[in-house]
Amino acid sequence: MPFSLSRPLALLFLIALTLVGPWTPDLAACGQDGELEALLREERAEAALLSRRGEYRKARKILQQHLEDEPEDAQSAALLARVRLLAGDLERAETRALEVLEGSTQMAARRAAAAVLCDLWIELGRGDEALALYEGGSALLSDQDFP
């Protein structure tokens, strides 16, 4: 049998496969991530509904639990800023919205946080800051961001 380069490589591959095991994507984890994100979306929708009904405490509880479990959940953080604004907790609303705007890479969360800040600053008579954010962040904001 003549020597060929492919035979030693195939043998090496079989040895490595035996030692390490075959690579297969972790489909269960992929499915769990999708299920988790779907659950978070449902709970965010519930929190938004509760806040529209004036049940701010219940909405905050849901969103704060999200953030305890996943501190980087910018969408829940932005929604929490909106809930705090609606509940009249203006200082915390501003702090949370600024954190999202400055620290998140998720465009939807940044837009939501910017919209909260614009609404908040207008309510506080700081229209110049709201206008500057709107004009400076035109890529962030669209008319649909304002309820």
Side-chain angles (χ1 to χ4, degrees), residues 2 16 38 42 53 67 107:
E42 284 178 27
R53 291 180 177 165
L67 294 169
M107 189 58 79

Side-chain angles (χ1 to χ4, degrees), residues 16-113:
L17 190 59
T18 303
L19 294 174
V20 182
W23 179 85
T24 55
D26 188 354
L27 296 177
C30 293
Q32 288 174 350
D33 286 347
E35 289 174 17
L36 177 61
E37 187 55 42
L39 177 62
L40 289 173
R41 277 193 305 271
E42 284 178 27
E43 289 181 350
R44 283 187 208 111
E46 180 183 353
L49 178 63
L50 288 168
S51 70
R52 284 193 299 275
R53 291 180 177 165
E55 298 182 52
Y56 306 119
R57 190 171 174 197
K58 289 179 183 178
R60 275 195 318 264
K61 185 177 179 181
I62 291 169
L63 297 168
Q64 286 170 332
Q65 184 63 52
H66 284 194
L67 294 169
E68 283 178 28
D69 294 343
E70 185 58 52
E72 300 300 314
D73 183 357
Q75 292 176 344
S76 291
L79 183 53
L80 180 58
R82 172 66 64 188
V83 170
R84 289 193 183 282
L85 172 63
L86 294 172
D89 189 354
L90 305 183
E91 186 176 323
R92 286 184 174 173
E94 183 177 33
T95 299
R96 179 66 69 177
L98 285 169
E99 288 172 356
V100 173
L101 186 62
E102 295 169 357
S104 177
T105 58
Q106 297 176 11
M107 189 58 79
R110 295 184 74 213
R111 277 195 304 266

Side-chain angles (χ1 to χ4, degrees), residues 110-130:
R110 295 184 74 213
R111 277 195 304 266
V116 168
L117 286 170
C118 285
D119 291 345
L120 172 68
W121 290 340
I122 288 169
E123 186 172 319
L124 293 175
R126 293 163 52 189
D128 290 344
E129 290 175 73

